[in-house]
Amino acid sequence: MTAGGQDAGDPQPAGPAAGADGGGGSRLVVRDLVKTYGMGETRLSVLRGLSLSVESGEIVVIMGPSGSGKTTLLNCISGIDVPDEGRVEVAGRAVDFTDERALTLLRRHRIGMVFQFFNLIPSLTVRENVGLPLLVGNGGMGEDGRIDDLLAEVGLAARSGHFPFQLSGGEMQLVSIARALVHEPDLVLADEPTGNVNPGVGRVIMDTLRRAAKHHGAGLLMVTHSPEHAAWADRICFLKDGLIAGELRQDGRQEAVAPIYQRLLELGI
């Protein structure tokens, strides 16, 4: 089965051919990724030849038990961690894990990241936090219009001069989403973006992420434990024993939660 997904019970997806087009095609291709950690004389295999892809404007959710390698996968994709084997392509370009500068530029220009605990800088305003990737990447926040547009898009235009301590948890996460999009990345990685907010705010965050991915054409790969929030995805990939054990085509049907619980039960996740 290709990473585009057919049936939830299919085996590990192979993903599309290497060199996929980064325009309207694959934003992410992961092929045969292996990551093992050493613990004294013990070796812990976390990723065991995992493959998947994310297309332009597509939302793919990763679900799996704690310790199954979800965050390790995101870290390997972004170059924060280095896989032992395998290949990662972002918008058709292979990631060179031997080049630290190239990895820094990848995170600076090609990938946006949304974290569970927001990672906002307390001494900066909302506007300044959103514009920080422009300051780091371009040496200045010259694209004020883009910052304003994104703040309006996430519903925080009136809060642009506020500081993080003046915001709710949900508002801080919306700021982090705007920050992840400000440099127009090809790919957005989101690690439990709804894990630190209440369910109602979580739905607002998921709606914002879905609309943003479709509007900007970025691929979105998100980790979550919540079936209710996973239901907003186009596809759900179930991670178990270091591989994609199954897929579910969801197509953003946020009311269709029961099939997700059923698949989790069948896979023993």
mmCIF file of all heavy atoms in Angstrom, residues 159-177:
data_model
loop_
_atom_site.group_PDB
_atom_site.id
_atom_site.type_symbol
_atom_site.label_atom_id
_atom_site.label_comp_id
_atom_site.label_asym_id
_atom_site.label_seq_id
_atom_site.Cartn_x
_atom_site.Cartn_y
_atom_site.Cartn_z
ATOM 1 N N ARG A 159 -5.233 41.128 19.701
ATOM 2 C CA ARG A 159 -4.332 40.767 20.801
ATOM 3 C C ARG A 159 -2.859 40.938 20.418
ATOM 4 O O ARG A 159 -1.970 40.501 21.151
ATOM 5 C CB ARG A 159 -4.573 39.312 21.216
ATOM 6 C CG ARG A 159 -6.016 38.974 21.543
ATOM 7 C CD ARG A 159 -6.421 39.490 22.900
ATOM 8 N NE ARG A 159 -6.320 38.447 23.906
ATOM 9 C CZ ARG A 159 -6.350 38.686 25.223
ATOM 10 N NH1 ARG A 159 -6.441 39.917 25.655
ATOM 11 N NH2 ARG A 159 -6.273 37.690 26.080
ATOM 12 N N SER A 160 -2.594 41.579 19.291
ATOM 13 C CA SER A 160 -1.226 41.613 18.760
ATOM 14 C C SER A 160 -0.234 42.281 19.707
ATOM 15 O O SER A 160 0.950 41.938 19.716
ATOM 16 C CB SER A 160 -1.204 42.312 17.401
ATOM 17 O OG SER A 160 -1.598 43.673 17.538
ATOM 18 N N GLY A 161 -0.685 43.245 20.517
ATOM 19 C CA GLY A 161 0.218 43.934 21.420
ATOM 20 C C GLY A 161 0.284 43.333 22.810
ATOM 21 O O GLY A 161 1.010 43.842 23.673
ATOM 22 N N HIS A 162 -0.435 42.237 23.044
ATOM 23 C CA HIS A 162 -0.436 41.597 24.355
ATOM 24 C C HIS A 162 0.783 40.685 24.514
ATOM 25 O O HIS A 162 1.399 40.253 23.528
ATOM 26 C CB HIS A 162 -1.713 40.775 24.555
ATOM 27 C CG HIS A 162 -2.940 41.609 24.751
ATOM 28 N ND1 HIS A 162 -3.492 42.363 23.732
ATOM 29 C CD2 HIS A 162 -3.727 41.808 25.834
ATOM 30 C CE1 HIS A 162 -4.572 42.990 24.191
ATOM 31 N NE2 HIS A 162 -4.729 42.665 25.460
ATOM 32 N N PHE A 163 1.093 40.365 25.760
ATOM 33 C CA PHE A 163 2.182 39.446 26.074
ATOM 34 C C PHE A 163 1.595 38.079 26.418
ATOM 35 O O PHE A 163 0.414 37.968 26.765
ATOM 36 C CB PHE A 163 3.009 39.988 27.239
ATOM 37 C CG PHE A 163 3.807 41.208 26.891
ATOM 38 C CD1 PHE A 163 3.273 42.477 27.065
ATOM 39 C CD2 PHE A 163 5.086 41.096 26.357
ATOM 40 C CE1 PHE A 163 3.996 43.615 26.733
ATOM 41 C CE2 PHE A 163 5.825 42.214 26.011
ATOM 42 C CZ PHE A 163 5.276 43.494 26.200
ATOM 43 N N PRO A 164 2.389 37.014 26.310
ATOM 44 C CA PRO A 164 1.856 35.669 26.555
ATOM 45 C C PRO A 164 1.126 35.513 27.880
ATOM 46 O O PRO A 164 0.115 34.807 27.948
ATOM 47 C CB PRO A 164 3.111 34.787 26.486
ATOM 48 C CG PRO A 164 3.987 35.495 25.497
ATOM 49 C CD PRO A 164 3.772 36.959 25.784
ATOM 50 N N PHE A 165 1.605 36.166 28.944
ATOM 51 C CA PHE A 165 0.949 35.989 30.250
ATOM 52 C C PHE A 165 -0.459 36.575 30.267
ATOM 53 O O PHE A 165 -1.248 36.280 31.169
ATOM 54 C CB PHE A 165 1.807 36.601 31.369
ATOM 55 C CG PHE A 165 1.764 38.102 31.443
ATOM 56 C CD1 PHE A 165 0.806 38.748 32.224
ATOM 57 C CD2 PHE A 165 2.696 38.871 30.755
ATOM 58 C CE1 PHE A 165 0.769 40.136 32.313
ATOM 59 C CE2 PHE A 165 2.659 40.253 30.831
ATOM 60 C CZ PHE A 165 1.704 40.887 31.610
ATOM 61 N N GLN A 166 -0.784 37.397 29.269
ATOM 62 C CA GLN A 166 -2.113 37.992 29.180
ATOM 63 C C GLN A 166 -3.075 37.155 28.335
ATOM 64 O O GLN A 166 -4.224 37.552 28.145
ATOM 65 C CB GLN A 166 -2.006 39.400 28.591
ATOM 66 C CG GLN A 166 -1.203 40.364 29.453
ATOM 67 C CD GLN A 166 -0.959 41.696 28.769
ATOM 68 O OE1 GLN A 166 -0.413 41.759 27.673
ATOM 69 N NE2 GLN A 166 -1.397 42.764 29.425
ATOM 70 N N LEU A 167 -2.620 35.999 27.868
ATOM 71 C CA LEU A 167 -3.416 35.149 26.983
ATOM 72 C C LEU A 167 -3.843 33.874 27.700
ATOM 73 O O LEU A 167 -3.185 33.418 28.627
ATOM 74 C CB LEU A 167 -2.605 34.768 25.731
ATOM 75 C CG LEU A 167 -2.000 35.896 24.901
ATOM 76 C CD1 LEU A 167 -1.209 35.299 23.742
ATOM 77 C CD2 LEU A 167 -3.062 36.858 24.397
ATOM 78 N N SER A 168 -4.932 33.291 27.207
ATOM 79 C CA SER A 168 -5.327 31.955 27.663
ATOM 80 C C SER A 168 -4.432 30.908 26.996
ATOM 81 O O SER A 168 -3.696 31.213 26.035
ATOM 82 C CB SER A 168 -6.784 31.686 27.303
ATOM 83 O OG SER A 168 -6.928 31.571 25.889
ATOM 84 N N GLY A 169 -4.513 29.657 27.483
ATOM 85 C CA GLY A 169 -3.740 28.585 26.857
ATOM 86 C C GLY A 169 -4.093 28.400 25.396
ATOM 87 O O GLY A 169 -3.213 28.215 24.544
ATOM 88 N N GLY A 170 -5.374 28.449 25.083
ATOM 89 C CA GLY A 170 -5.798 28.305 23.693
ATOM 90 C C GLY A 170 -5.280 29.425 22.821
ATOM 91 O O GLY A 170 -4.847 29.194 21.682
ATOM 92 N N GLU A 171 -5.301 30.658 23.332
ATOM 93 C CA GLU A 171 -4.788 31.787 22.555
ATOM 94 C C GLU A 171 -3.287 31.656 22.321
ATOM 95 O O GLU A 171 -2.789 31.968 21.233
ATOM 96 C CB GLU A 171 -5.109 33.088 23.279
ATOM 97 C CG GLU A 171 -6.586 33.469 23.215
ATOM 98 C CD GLU A 171 -6.928 34.663 24.086
ATOM 99 O OE1 GLU A 171 -6.256 34.857 25.142
ATOM 100 O OE2 GLU A 171 -7.865 35.393 23.739
ATOM 101 N N MET A 172 -2.568 31.187 23.337
ATOM 102 C CA MET A 172 -1.127 30.989 23.152
ATOM 103 C C MET A 172 -0.850 29.947 22.075
ATOM 104 O O MET A 172 0.080 30.099 21.270
ATOM 105 C CB MET A 172 -0.478 30.587 24.477
ATOM 106 C CG MET A 172 -0.315 31.739 25.444
ATOM 107 S SD MET A 172 0.749 31.368 26.865
ATOM 108 C CE MET A 172 -0.385 30.431 27.881
ATOM 109 N N GLN A 173 -1.670 28.892 22.012
ATOM 110 C CA GLN A 173 -1.462 27.892 20.977
ATOM 111 C C GLN A 173 -1.776 28.461 19.598
ATOM 112 O O GLN A 173 -1.094 28.139 18.617
ATOM 113 C CB GLN A 173 -2.302 26.652 21.251
ATOM 114 C CG GLN A 173 -1.934 25.446 20.385
ATOM 115 C CD GLN A 173 -0.492 25.000 20.578
ATOM 116 O OE1 GLN A 173 0.451 25.681 20.135
ATOM 117 N NE2 GLN A 173 -0.320 23.880 21.251
ATOM 118 N N LEU A 174 -2.786 29.316 19.490
ATOM 119 C CA LEU A 174 -3.096 29.953 18.219
ATOM 120 C C LEU A 174 -1.952 30.865 17.777
ATOM 121 O O LEU A 174 -1.649 30.959 16.581
ATOM 122 C CB LEU A 174 -4.409 30.735 18.324
ATOM 123 C CG LEU A 174 -5.666 29.876 18.501
ATOM 124 C CD1 LEU A 174 -6.870 30.757 18.791
ATOM 125 C CD2 LEU A 174 -5.933 29.011 17.275
ATOM 126 N N VAL A 175 -1.313 31.535 18.735
ATOM 127 C CA VAL A 175 -0.126 32.330 18.408
ATOM 128 C C VAL A 175 0.972 31.433 17.845
ATOM 129 O O VAL A 175 1.631 31.768 16.849
ATOM 130 C CB VAL A 175 0.384 33.092 19.650
ATOM 131 C CG1 VAL A 175 1.723 33.788 19.347
ATOM 132 C CG2 VAL A 175 -0.640 34.116 20.108
ATOM 133 N N SER A 176 1.164 30.263 18.467
ATOM 134 C CA SER A 176 2.226 29.366 17.996
ATOM 135 C C SER A 176 1.915 28.819 16.606
ATOM 136 O O SER A 176 2.833 28.565 15.817
ATOM 137 C CB SER A 176 2.447 28.231 18.999
ATOM 138 O OG SER A 176 1.413 27.272 18.941
ATOM 139 N N ILE A 177 0.636 28.652 16.289
ATOM 140 C CA ILE A 177 0.256 28.213 14.937
ATOM 141 C C ILE A 177 0.598 29.305 13.928
ATOM 142 O O ILE A 177 1.166 29.029 12.857
ATOM 143 C CB ILE A 177 -1.237 27.847 14.893
ATOM 144 C CG1 ILE A 177 -1.499 26.582 15.708
ATOM 145 C CG2 ILE A 177 -1.697 27.644 13.444
ATOM 146 C CD1 ILE A 177 -2.965 26.287 15.930
#
